[in-house]
Amino acid sequence: EVQLVQSGAEVKKPGESLRISCKGSGYSFTSHWISWVRQMPGKGLEWMGRIDPSDSYTNYSPSFQGHVTISADKSISTAYLQWSSLKASDTAMYYCARHVGAGWFVDWGQGTLVTVSS
Amino acid sequence: QSVLTQPPSVSGAPGQRVTISCTGSSSNIGAGHDVHWYQQLPGTAPKPLIYGNNNRPSGVPDRFSGSKSGTSASLAISGLQAEDEADYYCQSYDSSLSGSVFGGGTKLTVL
């Protein structure tokens, strides 16, 4: 069974750094891109960017370029999303998702809720 | 403002058929990129409903169907059931942005 298991909820203060994770199992981790998707409270889905775990090539939505960093450690089948300086506006649910080719997202993680508040 | 445009809400009575539109442009749907649909029940992660314009993943009832024409796509749900009440999102690839794009989402209410 394919699973994407994300790290737990986080509560942070503005200016703090954070890295959340997404561990894949049940498939060849290096054979499928992983994307990160943001969902702000009461809002829709926003694609943030993706990584090819085989070579760590990334590309980002222009809306998120420079604000977050996506990385992966293929030795432990885990992708990451990190911030160097959080803002209150980063408060959201974050999902990782496994691509089929360059197209659809066949599997999703359970989501990680990030709350940024002073 | 989402790159793909969906109606904010649709509604229908049990047993009826509803459609949800997804309008894009020449850099995404109109460029020939596939459209995919997801269902998000309250408090849960999105679930794939339709991929490659009109294909259903295993386990998705045939009450759900997709189509695409020009710069638009549609999701149709027939035989509406109370359990279909959820948010629905379309997704495609945008050549100008070099990445995936989502519609703003449509809330389906079963009356």
Side-chain angles (χ1 to χ4, degrees):
Chain A
E1 179 196 7
V2 173
Q3 282 192 308
L4 296 175
V5 178
Q6 298 186 225
S7 49
E10 301 274 2
V11 179
K12 292 288 190 179
K13 291 180 169 32
E16 291 187 331
S17 62
L18 174 65
R19 188 177 77 168
I20 62 176
S21 66
C22 168
K23 183 173 176 60
S25 63
Y27 73 99
S28 173
F29 186 71
T30 55
S31 297
H32 298 266
W33 299 350
I34 293 284
S35 271
W36 287 93
V37 176
R38 183 176 79 173
Q39 187 167 38
M40 299 178 76
K43 302 298 184 183
L45 305 174
E46 300 173 271
W47 181 75
M48 301 176 71
R50 63 91 177 169
I51 187 164
D52 181 344
S54 67
D55 60 6
S56 289
Y57 177 82
T58 55
N59 73 291
Y60 296 87
S61 162
S63 299
F64 294 93
Q65 179 84 47
H67 297 290
V68 296
T69 302
I70 296 172
S71 60
D73 184 341
K74 59 186 179 182
S75 69
I76 55 172
S77 301
T78 300
Y80 301 99
L81 177 65
Q82 67 182 63
W83 295 259
S84 58
S85 180
L86 287 160
K87 304 174 184 177
S89 56
D90 293 318
T91 294
M93 182 71 82
Y94 293 88
Y95 295 101
C96 63
R98 180 173 76 110
H99 282 251
V100 170
W104 61 298
F105 305 119
V106 61
D107 297 292
W108 294 68
Q110 83 276 20
T112 296
L113 180 61
V114 174
T115 303
V116 184
S117 174
S118 55
Chain B
Q1 202 83 342
S2 301
V3 173
L4 305 179
T5 300
Q6 298 180 233
S9 64
V10 298
S11 63
Q16 284 190 332
R17 179 179 185 271
V18 297
T19 61
I20 298 172
S21 61
C22 174
T23 302
S25 67
S26 58
S27 62
N28 42 68
I29 299 174
H33 296 300
D34 286 340
V35 178
H36 321 290
W37 292 89
Y38 303 87
Q39 178 193 60
Q40 188 177 33
L41 298 169
T44 68
K47 164 194 165 184
L49 208 57
I50 296 288
Y51 69 94
N53 305 315
N54 56 14
N55 302 287
R56 287 185 306 277
S58 173
V60 173
D62 60 6
R63 302 186 295 106
F64 296 90
S65 62
S67 64
K68 173 189 162 187
S69 178
T71 58
S72 294
S74 289
L75 172 71
I77 310 172
S78 60
L80 265 183
Q81 300 179 3
E83 66 205 50
D84 298 332
E85 194 160 282
D87 293 323
Y88 293 84
Y89 295 90
C90 59
Q91 176 241 326
S92 187
Y93 180 86
D94 191 283
S95 304
S96 297
L97 299 173
S98 298
S100 297
V101 288
F102 283 101
T106 299
K107 181 175 181 60
L108 169 63
T109 301
V110 181
L111 302 170

